[in-house]
Short mmCIF file of all heavy atoms in Angstrom, two decimals:
data_model
loop_
_atom_site.label_atom_id
_atom_site.label_comp_id
_atom_site.label_asym_id
_atom_site.label_seq_id
_atom_site.Cartn_x
_atom_site.Cartn_y
_atom_site.Cartn_z
N PHE R 17 71.42 -62.89 -7.33
CA PHE R 17 70.79 -64.14 -6.91
C PHE R 17 69.91 -64.64 -8.05
O PHE R 17 69.20 -63.86 -8.68
CB PHE R 17 69.92 -63.91 -5.66
CG PHE R 17 69.10 -65.10 -5.28
CD1 PHE R 17 69.67 -66.19 -4.65
CD2 PHE R 17 67.74 -65.14 -5.58
CE1 PHE R 17 68.91 -67.31 -4.32
CE2 PHE R 17 66.97 -66.24 -5.25
CZ PHE R 17 67.56 -67.33 -4.61
N GLU R 18 69.96 -65.94 -8.29
CA GLU R 18 69.16 -66.50 -9.37
C GLU R 18 68.59 -67.86 -8.95
O GLU R 18 69.26 -68.64 -8.30
CB GLU R 18 70.02 -66.66 -10.62
CG GLU R 18 69.26 -67.11 -11.85
CD GLU R 18 70.09 -67.06 -13.11
OE1 GLU R 18 71.31 -66.86 -13.04
OE2 GLU R 18 69.51 -67.25 -14.19
N ASN R 19 67.34 -68.08 -9.34
CA ASN R 19 66.73 -69.40 -9.17
C ASN R 19 65.99 -69.74 -10.47
O ASN R 19 66.21 -69.08 -11.48
CB ASN R 19 65.82 -69.44 -7.93
CG ASN R 19 64.68 -68.45 -8.00
OD1 ASN R 19 64.21 -68.08 -9.07
ND2 ASN R 19 64.21 -68.01 -6.84
N ASN R 20 65.13 -70.73 -10.45
CA ASN R 20 64.45 -71.14 -11.68
C ASN R 20 63.43 -70.12 -12.19
O ASN R 20 63.07 -70.13 -13.35
CB ASN R 20 63.73 -72.47 -11.47
CG ASN R 20 64.69 -73.62 -11.31
OD1 ASN R 20 65.84 -73.54 -11.74
ND2 ASN R 20 64.26 -74.69 -10.67
N VAL R 21 62.98 -69.24 -11.31
CA VAL R 21 61.91 -68.30 -11.66
C VAL R 21 62.41 -66.86 -11.80
O VAL R 21 61.97 -66.14 -12.69
CB VAL R 21 60.78 -68.35 -10.60
CG1 VAL R 21 59.68 -67.37 -10.91
CG2 VAL R 21 60.22 -69.77 -10.50
N HIS R 22 63.33 -66.46 -10.92
CA HIS R 22 63.78 -65.06 -10.89
C HIS R 22 65.29 -64.94 -11.00
O HIS R 22 66.02 -65.85 -10.62
CB HIS R 22 63.38 -64.39 -9.56
CG HIS R 22 61.93 -64.32 -9.32
ND1 HIS R 22 61.25 -65.26 -8.59
CD2 HIS R 22 61.00 -63.43 -9.72
CE1 HIS R 22 59.96 -64.94 -8.53
NE2 HIS R 22 59.79 -63.84 -9.21
N HIS R 23 65.72 -63.78 -11.44
CA HIS R 23 67.14 -63.40 -11.41
C HIS R 23 67.17 -61.97 -10.90
O HIS R 23 66.56 -61.07 -11.50
CB HIS R 23 67.72 -63.50 -12.83
CG HIS R 23 69.18 -63.21 -12.90
ND1 HIS R 23 69.83 -63.05 -14.09
CD2 HIS R 23 70.12 -63.06 -11.95
CE1 HIS R 23 71.11 -62.81 -13.87
NE2 HIS R 23 71.30 -62.81 -12.56
N PHE R 24 67.81 -61.74 -9.76
CA PHE R 24 67.89 -60.43 -9.13
C PHE R 24 69.33 -59.95 -9.11
O PHE R 24 70.25 -60.76 -8.95
CB PHE R 24 67.44 -60.49 -7.66
CG PHE R 24 66.05 -60.98 -7.44
CD1 PHE R 24 65.81 -62.31 -7.12
CD2 PHE R 24 64.97 -60.12 -7.53
CE1 PHE R 24 64.53 -62.78 -6.89
CE2 PHE R 24 63.68 -60.58 -7.30
CZ PHE R 24 63.46 -61.90 -6.98
N TRP R 25 69.54 -58.64 -9.22
CA TRP R 25 70.85 -58.05 -8.99
C TRP R 25 70.69 -56.55 -8.80
O TRP R 25 69.64 -55.98 -9.04
CB TRP R 25 71.83 -58.36 -10.12
CG TRP R 25 71.54 -57.74 -11.45
CD1 TRP R 25 72.03 -56.55 -11.94
CD2 TRP R 25 70.70 -58.26 -12.48
NE1 TRP R 25 71.55 -56.33 -13.20
CE2 TRP R 25 70.74 -57.36 -13.56
CE3 TRP R 25 69.92 -59.40 -12.60
CZ2 TRP R 25 70.01 -57.56 -14.74
CZ3 TRP R 25 69.20 -59.61 -13.77
CH2 TRP R 25 69.27 -58.69 -14.82
N LYS R 26 71.74 -55.94 -8.30
CA LYS R 26 71.79 -54.48 -8.13
C LYS R 26 73.00 -53.97 -8.89
O LYS R 26 73.98 -54.68 -9.08
CB LYS R 26 71.91 -54.10 -6.66
CG LYS R 26 70.70 -54.46 -5.85
CD LYS R 26 70.91 -54.14 -4.39
CE LYS R 26 69.76 -54.69 -3.57
NZ LYS R 26 70.10 -54.76 -2.15
N ARG R 27 72.90 -52.73 -9.31
CA ARG R 27 73.99 -52.12 -10.06
C ARG R 27 73.91 -50.61 -9.85
O ARG R 27 72.82 -50.05 -9.84
CB ARG R 27 73.84 -52.48 -11.54
CG ARG R 27 74.92 -51.96 -12.42
CD ARG R 27 74.77 -52.56 -13.79
NE ARG R 27 75.77 -53.62 -13.87
CZ ARG R 27 75.88 -54.47 -14.86
NH1 ARG R 27 75.05 -54.45 -15.85
NH2 ARG R 27 76.82 -55.37 -14.86
N THR R 28 75.05 -49.96 -9.66
CA THR R 28 75.08 -48.52 -9.50
C THR R 28 75.42 -47.88 -10.84
O THR R 28 76.39 -48.26 -11.49
CB THR R 28 76.11 -48.11 -8.43
OG1 THR R 28 75.75 -48.74 -7.20
CG2 THR R 28 76.14 -46.61 -8.22
N ILE R 29 74.58 -46.92 -11.23
CA ILE R 29 74.77 -46.20 -12.49
C ILE R 29 74.84 -44.71 -12.17
O ILE R 29 73.89 -44.14 -11.64
CB ILE R 29 73.62 -46.48 -13.47
CG1 ILE R 29 73.52 -48.00 -13.74
CG2 ILE R 29 73.82 -45.70 -14.78
CD1 ILE R 29 72.30 -48.42 -14.51
N ASN R 30 75.98 -44.12 -12.46
CA ASN R 30 76.22 -42.69 -12.17
C ASN R 30 75.86 -42.33 -10.72
O ASN R 30 75.23 -41.31 -10.45
CB ASN R 30 75.47 -41.80 -13.14
CG ASN R 30 76.08 -41.82 -14.52
OD1 ASN R 30 77.21 -42.25 -14.71
ND2 ASN R 30 75.33 -41.36 -15.51
N GLY R 31 76.24 -43.18 -9.78
CA GLY R 31 76.05 -42.90 -8.36
C GLY R 31 74.70 -43.29 -7.81
O GLY R 31 74.46 -43.14 -6.61
N VAL R 32 73.78 -43.76 -8.62
CA VAL R 32 72.45 -44.16 -8.17
C VAL R 32 72.36 -45.68 -8.27
O VAL R 32 72.66 -46.26 -9.31
CB VAL R 32 71.33 -43.51 -9.02
CG1 VAL R 32 69.95 -43.98 -8.57
CG2 VAL R 32 71.43 -41.99 -8.95
N THR R 33 71.92 -46.33 -7.18
CA THR R 33 71.81 -47.79 -7.18
C THR R 33 70.42 -48.20 -7.67
O THR R 33 69.41 -47.66 -7.22
CB THR R 33 72.07 -48.36 -5.78
OG1 THR R 33 73.36 -47.94 -5.35
CG2 THR R 33 72.02 -49.88 -5.79
N PHE R 34 70.42 -49.14 -8.59
CA PHE R 34 69.18 -49.66 -9.17
C PHE R 34 69.06 -51.14 -8.85
O PHE R 34 70.05 -51.85 -8.79
CB PHE R 34 69.17 -49.48 -10.69
CG PHE R 34 69.10 -48.04 -11.12
CD1 PHE R 34 70.25 -47.29 -11.25
CD2 PHE R 34 67.88 -47.45 -11.40
CE1 PHE R 34 70.19 -45.96 -11.65
CE2 PHE R 34 67.81 -46.13 -11.79
CZ PHE R 34 68.97 -45.38 -11.92
N SER R 35 67.83 -51.59 -8.69
CA SER R 35 67.53 -53.00 -8.46
C SER R 35 66.90 -53.56 -9.73
O SER R 35 65.94 -52.98 -10.27
CB SER R 35 66.55 -53.12 -7.29
OG SER R 35 66.13 -54.45 -7.14
N PHE R 36 67.43 -54.66 -10.20
CA PHE R 36 66.94 -55.31 -11.41
C PHE R 36 66.30 -56.64 -11.04
O PHE R 36 66.81 -57.36 -10.20
CB PHE R 36 68.11 -55.61 -12.37
CG PHE R 36 68.81 -54.39 -12.90
CD1 PHE R 36 69.70 -53.68 -12.12
CD2 PHE R 36 68.56 -53.95 -14.20
CE1 PHE R 36 70.35 -52.56 -12.61
CE2 PHE R 36 69.22 -52.84 -14.70
CZ PHE R 36 70.11 -52.14 -13.91
#
Side-chain angles (χ1 to χ4, degrees):
F17 172 76
E18 186 171 10
N19 60 28
N20 290 338
V21 178
H22 298 95
H23 183 190
F24 301 97
W25 68 94
K26 294 177 188 163
R27 182 171 258 172
T28 301
I29 302 171
N30 288 344
V32 178
T33 303
F34 293 87
S35 174
F36 295 77

